Amino acid sequence: QVQLVESGGGLVQAGGSLRLSCAASGSILRTNAMGWYRRAPGKQRELVATISRGGSTNYADSVKGRFAISGDNAKNTVYLQMSSLKPEDTAVYYCNADTVDYELIRRGSWGQGTQVTVSS
């Protein structure tokens, strides 16, 4: 099994910044990719940003230029630097990891979520 522990959420004023962190642990031989998703009240979960093992990144149009994802392969950790936050960024942010274990089984895992609230 893989465990994901997120941290860094909180309450911030519009225009402010927050940094989310997510560390994966457990039976991990290799992490193929990690990413962040979010679910706003009354909406479906949506992709925010992903990063591959090789460093390729992908962002939702709504966060391009404001959010930056980075990762540390050695630590199986991913970060999301969020700047110029808007009230519409308010959501529960979930970490996701695409991993391969020592039996070469590939799995996707989710964190428990961390609340980000942006006040206007």
Side-chain angles (χ1 to χ4, degrees), residues 9-103:
L11 173 64
V12 64
Q13 287 188 330
S17 300
L18 281 175
R19 188 185 192 222
L20 305 182
S21 300
C22 173
S25 62
S27 181
I28 301 174
L29 173 65
R30 184 182 69 248
T31 300
N32 293 324
M34 296 186 75
W36 291 94
Y37 294 72
R38 67 186 181 187
R39 177 181 286 146
K43 296 186 178 180
Q44 291 187 334
R45 185 160 55 189
E46 63 177 2
L47 178 145
V48 176
T50 61
I51 184 167
S52 72
R53 181 175 182 80
S56 297
T57 58
N58 181 45
Y59 294 93
D61 288 343
S62 60
V63 307
K64 284 180 180 177
R66 299 189 298 121
F67 291 9
I69 190 169
S70 60
D72 185 331
N73 290 331
K75 297 181 179 179
N76 292 320
T77 299
V78 65
Y79 307 95
L80 184 69
Q81 179 66 48
M82 304 185 293
S83 302
S84 301
L85 282 161
K86 304 175 181 180
E88 51 263 45
D89 293 318
T90 295
V92 178
Y93 284 69
Y94 297 91
C95 177
N96 174 270
D98 175 357
T99 61
V100 177
D101 67 18
Y102 293 96
E103 297 181 342

